[in-house]
Amino acid sequence: MPPGFAVKFLLLCTCVRAVRYDTEEEGLLAMEEQAEKEAVRNKRLYFHRINTYYLVDHSTQCAQLCRLTADCKSYQYRQGEQRCEINNATMREFPSHSKTLTGWSYYKRNAIAFFGIWSPCPQESDPCRNGGICTSRLLKTQQTEPNHCRPTCVCPAGFHGDDCQTDARDKVGWKQHGLYAFKVFSDNVTPKRYNEARTACADEGATLGILKDEDTHDFVLALKNMTAPSEKLWIGLSDSEVEGSFAWEDGSPLGDFSQWVPGQPNSQSNRNCVYITPQHATHPSQWGDRSCSSRHVAAYVCQKKLSFWSRAKVVGSSGSSDDATHSADRTTDGHSLTYWRPDDSNRYFNNW
């Protein structure tokens, strides 16, 4: 080896590395600019979210979380809330599940097609739990080099800790009905508009309530009358997409069952969203339509599907378990203090 070769080789590697880092940053900025041009503005895809959502500082970080998640096909970001959602489907696959919502931007998985920058963790050393996404370097931060010794877990909303091990979500108040769990929320101080109620349900991994039959309608009424009997309550029904053609939040048409107040729905184009009337109304516990931006509806009902949990463990009121599993669409005794936990889940529900 010629004298000084090792020193020259080291300097060459150092220079190449510096140039490569500059090129990566310049390339990333160019790809970000292109991604923003192709983003679908003021659109959000519902029903296909992976986990809950993530709070990140930049849409590029949201792109990174999508690329680090095998099942992610698209992502959406709302800068005002720094909120990132990753989806296992696309708007092209489910156009009826796309809703207009101001402030959101929707992107395809490969919106930023810049390879080698996503910094995945080695699978065997991924410490993240509860849907946390592991990366050795989160983009758009001060960290410039991957850290494989102490990777970063980006936690979904409701979880925290180095490994996303702590669950801070509300587990109380969900009631089972068939293959779904329902919960009524009420807020007299700051009532939510329809889209705000929709977003609040989505934060729970749920949708606004879909009441396609009398049995489900009566079940939700019972919940409402226990929680918010004197309030109007948003349900997941509107004709916002096509005037006069009411559809449920899952995209299905209204169908044969309805509980309209006499004379409604009316033909006023600004009354697109549906609520249930309070107990003291002239026509109690029936459906009315009103402006989706109204703040005179103080309650809303959310529903989440449980059928993807095929088995469930019943836990008694004392916290003891019968150590048996049961189908997820029913509990064993119907007692109001009996809680049950679907297999492979850390969330509890109760029957009543």
Side-chain angles (χ1 to χ4, degrees), residues 108-120:
K108 298 179 293 185
R109 172 183 170 88
N110 62 348
I112 298 180
F114 199 66
F115 299 100
I117 62 171
W118 305 118
S119 301

Side-chain angles (χ1 to χ4, degrees), residues 146-164:
N147 182 356
H148 297 290
C149 296
R150 176 64 258 183
T152 297
C153 290
V154 183
C155 302
F159 295 92
H160 59 86
D162 289 343
D163 302 333
C164 308

Side-chain angles (χ1 to χ4, degrees), residues 182-204:
F182 293 81
K183 184 175 180 179
V184 168
F185 297 81
S186 178
D187 187 348
N188 286 311
V189 179
T190 54
K192 297 185 184 301
R193 298 183 175 98
Y194 185 88
N195 279 339
E196 293 170 340
R198 173 193 274 167
T199 298
C201 287
D203 291 347
E204 297 282 340

Side-chain angles (χ1 to χ4, degrees), residues 97-118:
H97 294 176
S98 171
K99 309 290 184 183
T100 300
L101 201 59
T102 303
W104 283 92
S105 295
Y106 169 91
Y107 307 81
K108 298 179 293 185
R109 172 183 170 88
N110 62 348
I112 298 180
F114 199 66
F115 299 100
I117 62 171
W118 305 118

Side-chain angles (χ1 to χ4, degrees), residues 16-52:
V16 169
R17 185 173 186 176
V19 170
R20 182 183 179 187
Y21 178 78
D22 289 338
T23 302
E24 176 184 291
E25 287 298 294
E26 292 170 2
L28 183 58
L29 288 172
M31 293 303 298
E32 287 174 347
E33 183 177 351
Q34 184 62 31
E36 293 305 318
K37 289 180 180 177
E38 297 179 0
V40 182
R41 301 298 182 194
N42 300 320
K43 285 289 186 180
R44 185 185 187 195
L45 184 66
Y46 284 82
F47 313 120
H48 303 282
R49 202 167 57 182
I50 301 172
N51 297 314
T52 52

Side-chain angles (χ1 to χ4, degrees), residues 80-98:
E81 301 174 10
Q82 298 185 319
R83 176 180 173 128
C84 167
E85 298 177 353
I86 58 178
N87 306 310
N88 60 11
T90 65
M91 289 200 304
R92 174 173 289 186
E93 292 175 301
F94 297 94
S96 65
H97 294 176
S98 171

Side-chain angles (χ1 to χ4, degrees), residues 40-330:
V40 182
R41 301 298 182 194
N42 300 320
K43 285 289 186 180
R44 185 185 187 195
L45 184 66
Y46 284 82
F47 313 120
H48 303 282
R49 202 167 57 182
I50 301 172
N51 297 314
T52 52
Y53 61 92
Y54 301 83
L55 294 175
V56 294
D57 296 331
H58 198 280
S59 62
T60 299
Q61 294 174 340
C62 193
Q64 183 181 14
L65 299 186
C66 177
R67 294 297 287 264
L68 292 174
T69 304
D71 295 334
C72 179
K73 293 185 177 181
S74 66
Y75 63 96
Q76 47 214 18
Y77 187 69
R78 193 173 197 178
Q79 180 64 52
E81 301 174 10
Q82 298 185 319
R83 176 180 173 128
C84 167
E85 298 177 353
I86 58 178
N87 306 310
N88 60 11
T90 65
M91 289 200 304
R92 174 173 289 186
E93 292 175 301
F94 297 94
S96 65
H97 294 176
S98 171
K99 309 290 184 183
T100 300
L101 201 59
T102 303
W104 283 92
S105 295
Y106 169 91
Y107 307 81
K108 298 179 293 185
R109 172 183 170 88
N110 62 348
I112 298 180
F114 199 66
F115 299 100
I117 62 171
W118 305 118
S119 301
C121 294
Q123 189 172 3
E124 63 277 7
S125 62
D126 183 350
C128 304
R129 300 162 58 186
N130 297 313
I133 298 176
C134 185
T135 179
S136 57
R137 175 173 72 112
L138 187 62
L139 295 173
K140 312 298 288 188
T141 63
Q142 294 180 350
Q143 181 186 353
T144 59
E145 296 294 330
N147 182 356
H148 297 290
C149 296
R150 176 64 258 183
T152 297
C153 290
V154 183
C155 302
F159 295 92
H160 59 86
D162 289 343
D163 302 333
C164 308
Q165 71 274 15
T166 303
D167 184 357
R169 298 173 301 172
D170 176 22
K171 303 182 181 71
V172 179
W174 289 92
K175 304 287 187 178
Q176 179 207 359
H177 177 70
L179 297 180
Y180 295 86
F182 293 81
K183 184 175 180 179
V184 168
F185 297 81
S186 178
D187 187 348
N188 286 311
V189 179
T190 54
K192 297 185 184 301
R193 298 183 175 98
Y194 185 88
N195 279 339
E196 293 170 340
R198 173 193 274 167
T199 298
C201 287
D203 291 347
E204 297 282 340
T207 68
L208 280 168
I210 299 171
L211 286 51
K212 293 184 178 181
D213 55 73
E214 187 172 5
D215 189 39
T216 304
H217 181 264
D218 290 347
F219 178 83
V220 169
L221 279 185
L223 289 181
K224 177 185 180 300
N225 290 338
M226 289 195 324
T227 308
S230 300
E231 306 299 342
K232 301 180 181 73
L233 175 134
W234 289 125
I235 60 175
L237 183 66
S238 74
D239 67 345
S240 299
E241 298 293 327
V242 179
E243 178 63 31
S245 181
F246 283 87
W248 294 105
E249 281 289 298
D250 62 0
S252 61
L254 174 58
D256 296 330
F257 175 77
S258 65
Q259 290 287 304
W260 293 109
V261 167
Q264 295 203 15
N266 55 43
S267 58
Q268 296 184 35
S269 60
N270 65 335
R271 292 177 172 261
N272 298 121
C273 293
V274 179
Y275 68 96
I276 295 180
T277 59
Q279 276 188 327
H280 58 73
T282 304
H283 300 283
S285 304
Q286 292 184 289
W287 301 355
D289 61 344
R290 67 184 306 127
S291 169
C292 299
S293 61
S294 171
R295 287 200 181 276
H296 296 289
V297 180
Y300 57 96
V301 59
C302 300
Q303 100 178 40
K304 61 178 66 182
K305 190 173 184 180
L306 304 180
S307 59
F308 60 89
W309 291 314
S310 60
R311 306 293 287 170
K313 180 170 288 187
V314 174
V315 180
S317 58
S318 64
S320 62
S321 170
D322 62 4
D323 292 322
T325 56
H326 308 273
S327 64
D329 60 348
R330 63 184 176 86

